[in-house]
Amino acid sequence: MYPQALSSHFTRHRISRPARLVFTEKQWADFRSHLIQKDGSERAAFMLLGRHKGAVETKYLVHKLLLVPDDRCVQQHGAVVEPEIECVLENLLKYTQGECAAFLHAHSHPFTRVAYFSSIDDAYLPREIESLKNYLQLRKSDRPCRFARIVLGQ
């Protein structure tokens, strides 16, 4: 089973071609076991992604899985997960220092089998993208502002 919702955002617009997120079996097992736990709390992770543009679809390959520990969240319960800003910035820094093609933010909706982005998720998205762009500009990074997000259900 793979993430039910994948949304990619590149600076000002959505991608217009199909995209596939590719994990190794170990990455998928680690990702799922971290995001979906028995306590029902939402959890978060980041990923550094490689990219392969094929004739029909673009594949985003998980180069590095960055799981957010529970103790690095400002708030975390069954309806919200919010990593500490320091944790987010540490992971963004890894993106700016690497050769990866995109930065991905993932979180879980453990209360449903088929997850979709909530109105809360969508309300945060423009600020999240703007923050990423501003961070890259402040760091004078030549990394492209490629941001993707996924939400994982049970």
Side-chain angles (χ1 to χ4, degrees), residues 96-130:
T96 65
Q97 294 173 335
E99 296 297 321
C100 292
F103 182 76
L104 183 139
H105 177 204
H107 75 283
S108 60
H109 283 180
F111 47 84
T112 184
R113 294 197 59 73
V114 179
Y116 294 96
F117 294 107
S118 70
S119 58
I120 294 170
D121 299 332
D122 290 339
Y124 277 101
L125 181 63
R127 288 179 287 176
E128 202 169 5
I129 293 171
E130 192 63 31

Side-chain angles (χ1 to χ4, degrees), residues 6 8 10 15 19-23 49-52 58-62 101-102 146:
L6 172 63
S8 299
F10 299 98
I15 60 172
R20 180 184 309 258
L21 184 59
V22 181
F23 295 81
L49 305 176
R51 181 174 68 156
H52 173 73
T58 301
K59 290 182 182 175
Y60 288 92
L61 310 147
V62 178
R146 289 197 187 104

Side-chain angles (χ1 to χ4, degrees), residues 11-69:
T11 310
R12 292 187 191 98
H13 60 279
R14 291 181 182 264
I15 60 172
S16 58
R17 58 188 284 142
R20 180 184 309 258
L21 184 59
V22 181
F23 295 81
T24 66
E25 286 184 36
K26 180 173 181 358
Q27 288 169 331
W28 177 249
D30 291 348
F31 177 69
R32 244 189 102 61
S33 66
H34 174 71
L35 265 65
I36 305 296
Q37 296 184 29
K38 292 184 191 279
D39 66 3
S41 291
E42 289 193 8
R43 291 197 162 69
F46 298 101
M47 295 178 208
L48 304 179
L49 305 176
R51 181 174 68 156
H52 173 73
K53 285 181 82 169
V56 177
E57 69 179 6
T58 301
K59 290 182 182 175
Y60 288 92
L61 310 147
V62 178
H63 282 202
K64 187 150 183 120
L65 179 59
L66 307 161
L67 304 175
V68 176

